[in-house]
Amino acid sequence: MSDVMRWGAFSCALVPFVLIISGASWAGAAGTAAGLAAVTCACRALLRQSERTAARIRVRETGRHRDRRDYLGSAAHGGGRHSEGRTPVD
């Protein structure tokens, strides 16, 4: 994520500079910089939220056993304990 934020900050500085050099007004360049900064901040917030969500999912799945084919827990071994033909009781 840090590389993405660096590129966002770089573009927030570079784009207004290029606009001013190419003849745009200072107000237009400042408005563009403010817009880019707002988009960059929103993207950063969304990236942080998705990283937190992914970390939570990883923590939940860490405690479960996975076999070589990436199946979870007892389902990989036929569904668990069998009790002499009777249906299991929860």
Side-chain angles (χ1 to χ4, degrees):
M1 181 174 93
S2 63
D3 290 340
V4 174
M5 297 315 303
R6 283 189 204 124
W7 278 107
F10 177 71
S11 69
C12 287
L14 182 66
V15 170
F17 177 73
V18 170
L19 287 173
I20 290 171
I21 288 177
S22 64
S25 68
W26 284 88
T32 302
L36 284 172
V39 169
T40 302
C41 289
C43 289
R44 180 175 186 233
L46 290 171
L47 280 169
R48 290 184 76 193
Q49 180 182 0
S50 68
E51 284 180 346
R52 279 190 232 122
T53 302
R56 270 189 247 125
I57 290 171
R58 260 185 266 125
V59 166
R60 275 190 235 143
E61 290 180 353
T62 301
R64 297 181 186 164
H65 168 72
R66 291 182 182 264
D67 69 356
R68 285 181 289 171
R69 292 172 299 199
D70 206 29
Y71 290 113
L72 287 176
S74 62
H77 304 288
R81 196 185 313 175
H82 297 283
S83 58
E84 302 174 8
R86 291 179 281 166
T87 58
V89 178
D90 289 328

